[in-house]
Amino acid sequence: MTDYAQEQEMEIEALEAILMDEFKEIHSGESGLSTSNRCFQIKVTAQEEEEDGSITNPAQLALIFAHTEKYPDEPPLLNVSSLQGISGEDLRILKAKLQQEASENLGMAMIYTLVSSAKEWLAERFCQDSDGVNAEAEEAAKEDIVIPHGEPVTVETFLTWRERFEAELALERAKLMPESVLATPKEKKLSGRQWFESGRMKGAAIVAEELDEELDEEDIFDDDDFEDDEDDMLEHYLAEKSDSSTHPSMRAS
């Protein structure tokens, strides 16, 4: 004859040793179960490890159970409640899942099996959603990366571009030329370079002419100045000659 009470007590002792702080006995009035038997609560957490090594708990639930008289030959009484981030609809889905698994594991201690199943369900339901958000963020980041488009640069494409650029530059220079130059017959027309250089020479001539006018106005080099300089030079020369003729006579005496 099976001793159900002993088997149940052995399972409770094993759960306490394995789950430790996550396992506790609660009052039957808190369990939500229609029973006066001993009721127990196990905290089930969907743990997720972040890139920096820290662990977050996106969802937590309480798995509540009570042994029936002939457990494990009949399923236990089960209930689930949200401790963090789980909707009522998700709780109903999980409860139905656990009850189905309990029916499939009759004849053996099954509470720890049900706890493991609840953890897997939480991980699939919530950690995958988080992974999906991260995947969407990574996909958006890839879309933001600018991929260069266009034809690769080769010698041929560069030469083609340079010819087109020089043609456009010549057109812009032509726009700057006076209409009188553009109307000149072809054989008399100046090239863009000739026209540019002629403009520079004309500007240089104008500047030289202005400098000459300023010099004339200021009378920097007057004829009187040149005459004064010649008289000074003559006086200086005669003085030197006089000194040189005097020194030999002194030496002779």
Side-chain angles (χ1 to χ4, degrees):
M1 183 176 178
T2 303
D3 188 349
Y4 294 113
Q6 183 178 2
E7 288 191 15
Q8 294 169 11
E9 188 63 30
M10 290 175 61
E11 183 180 39
I12 291 172
E13 290 177 359
L15 291 172
E16 286 178 334
I18 296 171
L19 301 175
M20 302 179 66
D21 294 339
E22 295 178 350
F23 180 88
K24 68 178 182 179
E25 184 173 358
I26 61 174
H27 191 274
S28 59
E30 302 174 9
S31 66
L33 301 174
S34 300
T35 184
S36 57
N37 294 341
R38 296 174 67 188
C39 297
F40 302 91
Q41 173 180 301
I42 301 172
K43 183 171 71 173
V44 182
T45 302
Q47 293 185 342
E48 183 176 14
E49 185 173 354
E50 300 291 342
E51 294 181 357
D52 59 358
S54 62
I55 297 177
T56 60
N57 300 320
Q60 296 180 8
L61 64 84
L63 172 60
I64 301 169
F65 73 93
H67 289 139
T68 56
E69 184 179 353
K70 294 183 179 181
Y71 173 87
D73 288 339
E74 60 183 19
L77 299 176
L78 296 173
N79 193 19
V80 289
S81 63
S82 175
L83 298 178
Q84 177 182 317
I86 305 175
S87 66
E89 180 62 25
D90 285 334
L91 291 175
R92 285 190 290 271
I93 294 172
L94 177 59
K95 184 177 180 179
K97 171 182 172 60
L98 295 178
Q99 288 175 335
Q100 176 64 31
E101 291 186 7
S103 300
E104 295 172 357
N105 287 276
L106 294 176
M108 64 180 70
M110 66 183 76
I111 299 300
Y112 189 78
T113 300
L114 299 180
V115 171
S116 299
S117 180
K119 284 186 176 181
E120 292 177 2
W121 181 86
L122 280 179
E124 293 174 359
R125 177 66 180 83
F126 293 95
C127 294
Q128 282 189 357
D129 286 350
S130 177
D131 292 341
V133 172
N134 293 334
E136 291 178 0
E138 291 177 0
E139 188 65 25
K142 290 180 181 179
E143 293 176 357
D144 291 338
I145 298 176
V146 178
I147 300 176
H149 298 284
E151 183 180 356
V153 178
T154 63
V155 175
E156 291 77 9
T157 57
F158 173 75
L159 293 176
T160 302
W161 169 85
R162 188 176 68 176
E163 291 177 359
R164 185 170 63 251
F165 173 75
E166 291 177 349
E168 293 175 354
L169 185 60
L171 180 60
E172 291 298 324
R173 288 176 175 174
K175 292 179 181 179
L176 298 175
M177 291 184 182
E179 294 183 1
S180 59
V181 175
L182 296 176
T184 305
K186 182 176 181 180
E187 60 274 6
K188 295 183 179 181
K189 282 186 179 180
L190 296 175
S191 65
R193 181 174 180 179
Q194 290 172 337
W195 175 81
F196 174 73
E197 291 178 347
S198 65
R200 292 176 57 186
M201 294 301 294
K202 182 178 179 181
I206 293 172
V207 172
E209 184 178 352
E210 291 177 352
L211 288 174
D212 290 340
E213 292 177 355
E214 291 178 0
L215 292 174
D216 291 341
E217 292 175 357
E218 295 177 0
D219 293 329
I220 297 176
F221 301 106
D222 290 340
D223 293 338
D224 295 338
D225 292 337
F226 282 111
E227 292 177 358
D228 294 339
D229 291 340
E230 291 176 355
D231 293 341
D232 293 339
M233 292 174 64
L234 180 58
E235 292 177 359
H236 182 69
Y237 175 76
L238 292 175
E240 288 182 348
K241 293 290 290 181
S242 176
D243 291 340
S244 62
S245 60
T246 302
H247 290 305
S249 61
M250 292 179 65
R251 292 193 187 108
S253 59

